[in-house]
């Protein structure tokens, strides 16, 4: 093979062991082959580092475009009362979160995460550190401690009950100025077929407050939710029904996937005791 011979003459056996040469043109000069080898080595090192730390970042903004629509609700005689010729846009919410993972042992992984957010001039943030231990192929446990709006302690666990069934459980305890806030969630899932899964989830939030002569544990919200999710290469459909306090609702969401264009379209309708909400959006992979 003249192509592999050229690589061997330039780089020796280590060059032949490098992955990714199949995308390199076979008309490269020796200098270009060396440069290509260095580029492949850099890509391999970056991939190895990312697989080790798994860094993730998320920036989210909410744009208030009310003025774009409000100005068309008035007659032309009120044009003098409308400030400016162009609509006024306002960033009403913004949040930034980031996390990294550090494998400590083959079964233990530490996670460091933080986030900051602001809404209508009020800001907040938190920092948390977690440790996950994989005890077997069918179970793992995780403990987490965080600071932000007070100290927060949390725990999670996953266990595979059978070939099709599994359970997730999580609990948190937050120390806030208004008292302790315990929370608990349990989810039982089952694989109905290759692409479909069903879930039954119960969640509740409490607040422990001190009164003049005793402590009072008050349930702030709770709910029982059943959900069916069908996820294929071309689409994902989710249907759920929740009965709870203070909200009871039904939701139907559908996502169209276009793998060849790296694009997703999503639409969702939620109807409940709070009214109705329609959501739509598009997601595209840029790099």
């Amino acid at each position: 093979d003249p192509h592999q011979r050229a690589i061997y003459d330039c780089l020796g056996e280590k060059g032949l062991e490098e992955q990714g040469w199949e995308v390199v043109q076979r008309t490269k000069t020796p200098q270009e082959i060396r440069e290509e080898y260095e580029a492949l080595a850099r890509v391999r090192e970056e991939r190895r580092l990312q697989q080790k730390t798994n860094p993730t970042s998320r920036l989210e903004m909410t744009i208030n475009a009310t003025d774009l629509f409000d100005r068309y609700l008035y007659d032309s005689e009120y044009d003098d009362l409308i400030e400016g010729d162009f609509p006024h846009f306002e960033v009403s919410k913004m949040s930034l979160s980031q996390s990294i993972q550090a494998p400590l042992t083959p079964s233990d992984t530490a996670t460091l995460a933080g986030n900051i957010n602001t809404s209508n001039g009020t800001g907040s943030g938190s920092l948390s550190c977690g440790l996950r231990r994989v005890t077997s192929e069918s179970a793992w446990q995780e403990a987490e401690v965080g600071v932000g709006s007070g100290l927060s302690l949390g725990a999670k666990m996953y266990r595979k009950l059978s070939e099709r069934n599994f359970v997730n459980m999580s609990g948190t305890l937050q120390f806030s100025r208004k008292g302790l806030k315990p929370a608990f969630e349990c989810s039982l899932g089952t694989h109905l077929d290759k692409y479909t899964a069903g879930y039954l989830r119960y969640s509740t939030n409490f607040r422990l407050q001190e009164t003049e002569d005793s402590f009072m544990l008050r349930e702030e919200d709770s709910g029982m939710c059943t959900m069916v999710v069908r996820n294929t290469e071309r689409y994902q459909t989710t249907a759920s029904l929740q009965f709870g306090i203070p909200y009871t609702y039904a939701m139907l969401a559908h996502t169209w996937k276009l793998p060849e264009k790296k694009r997703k379209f999503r639409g969702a309708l939620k109807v409940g005791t709070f009214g109705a909400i329609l959501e739509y959006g598009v997601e595209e992979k840029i790099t």
Side-chain angles (χ1 to χ4, degrees), residues 163-178:
E163 194 64 29
R164 288 177 172 267
N165 303 318
F166 57 93
V167 62
N168 280 291
M169 298 179 66
S170 65
T172 60
L173 181 62
Q174 184 177 0
F175 299 83
S176 66
R177 293 181 178 180
K178 297 182 179 180

Side-chain angles (χ1 to χ4, degrees), residues 51 55 128 130 134 139 145 194 210 237:
Q51 288 176 345
S128 64
V134 180
V145 59
K194 183 179 180 181
E210 184 179 2
T237 302

